[in-house]
Amino acid sequence: MGFKEFCFKKSLWLFHFGGASCNNCDIEILDCLTPRYDVERFGMLLVGSIRHADVLLVNGSINQRDKSRLLELYEQAPKPIVVVAIGACGCTGGIFAEGNTFAGPVDKIIPVDAYIPGCPPKPEAILAGIVKLLNK
Amino acid sequence: MVKKTLIPIGPYHPLQEEPELFKLYCEGEIVKDIKWETGYNHRGIEQLSEKKTFDQSFFLVERICGICSTSHPFAFANALEEAGNIEIPNRAKYIRSIIGELERIHSHLLWVGLAGHFLGYNTVFMWAWKYREPVLDLFEMISGNRNSYAMFKVGGVRRDIENNKISEIVKVLDLVKRKTDMLVGAVMDDPVIHARTKGVGILTKQDIIDYAAVGPTARASGIAIDVRKDDPYAAYPLVNWKVITAEKGDVFAKAEVRLLEMYESISIIEQCLEGLKKEKEGEIEVKVKDIAEGWGTGHAEAPRGEVFHYVLTDGSNSPARHKIRAPSYTNIATFKKSCIGQTVSDATISLAAVDPCYCCTERMAVAYDHKTGKRILNGKELIALSAEKTQNIKNQL
């Protein structure tokens, strides 16, 4: 078992960063915690600090003002960390990619391990994405 | 002398819809001043819209806010139809209103849940979000997506609500009505919620006028301002309903207004569904070839207040100028009145009550004392403080 597998063997804690988004993805992520989807039964927990997290969820297009903050968060994160780009904006910039404050999709700023497309992706899709990533 | 401390909330914090930075200047436990910074969520939408055609712009304005993703296209369609002098068929009017009201229901449920979370009542949070799911299922049935429904276009709507789907909608509405009863019971009769929210974050009538607040924030202070009544659009003049107001202006009044508004929304949808049965299936749009040179304004009552769009057209197929004003922007300014003089534990729910368009979970916000470098409070501790106060009141009762 490699170091990375060892780190991700047990309960995953998630940290959520919402960039310049329309909040749909944020709400669908939060929806994963509520009774219908209930990710907490798999030991996944949304935490308030990046220093506790195993997975960094990033959604929304990243604008000039968010960019430095996202970089800072990534630097503070305990390694190894898995970065998941959620939603069309997180993956490519989506409809906001032509905007004048757009600072590049997430994977131009920090390394991304998985992409979950959709506008917004359904909670099922978010769960499926994370499960696929773990089985990789 | 009391030591002054600064508590930042944000920029990445769940209390607000957008990432924003609030600075609470405190003396002891009392908030003395509040400042805020915006711009973390700036995407240049007005400029982007001017590069797109009218049809494409609908998908863009829908993504201004994910929770009110109907009200922006609603206002934009109203503006374009005013500019182009377009009258839409009755069936399209009913469908527009149904979508708008369903959105209000899911948005208010979302708010009730999060308000419960901030008070330390996670049960309310889980319940409200559980019963929000059937409403999202309805959206999926009607439009194919849980959020961002893409139902609107110039001259009508994109998809019909076929008559055979009506029974399913009625079934969900019955469920929502029963569950709203339950939530109203849980909120209105609970002595702890009374103690935590009554007299907290009060906005007087004059404050609302001074800060030009709109929506439930204004209605909770006794000002019956509602675009659906004041400047009727879509199917609202065709149905019977009333504007819900409360007098006190505190957090409890805001919760009361939102919960009671859900009943009105259910009643509006039921009447619209009756109207839908009378209209012929498939007559959902008029063909619009072009929009003449000119301008139009449109508004719509979003769950949080009035959304306003201004469109200047130059005869081409894209807006020459597009101006948007969202309700939260004016409502946020009322924090100057509602939070100052409160304790820090009450500031949390005061912020949450005024601007309900927030999402997601705790993000990092740590305050350090300027001189000693000692950590003071983060967002999670603020919530814990709020939960603790609830617990104390519970023990006393």
Side-chain angles (χ1 to χ4, degrees), chain A residues 18-23 26 59-61 63 65-66 96 101, chain B residues 11-12 16-20 37-45 63-65 357 359:
Chain A
S21 75
C22 73
N23 287 334
D26 310 52
N59 74 279
S61 70
N63 70 15
R65 220 172 169 181
D66 300 336
F96 305 118
T101 54
Chain B
Y12 296 99
Q16 297 94 30
E17 153 203 15
E18 301 127 323
E20 274 166 345
E37 277 176 28
T38 55
Y40 297 96
N41 211 343
H42 186 79
R43 289 158 283 164
I45 286 182
R63 280 158 184 80
I64 292 171
C65 169
C357 198
C359 58

Side-chain angles (χ1 to χ4, degrees), chain B residues 4 14 36 39 77 87 97 124 145 204 252 262 277 291 327-328 355:
Chain B
K4 278 186 184 166
W36 59 89
E87 185 61 33
S97 288
V124 175
N145 204 357
T204 61
F252 186 81
M262 278 164 56
K277 283 179 191 162
I291 290 170
S328 298
D355 176 23

Side-chain angles (χ1 to χ4, degrees), chain A residues 87-109:
Chain A
C89 301
C91 295
T92 64
I95 200 163
F96 305 118
E98 292 164 0
N100 52 359
T101 54
F102 185 62
V106 180
D107 57 2
K108 291 267 162 60
I109 299 166

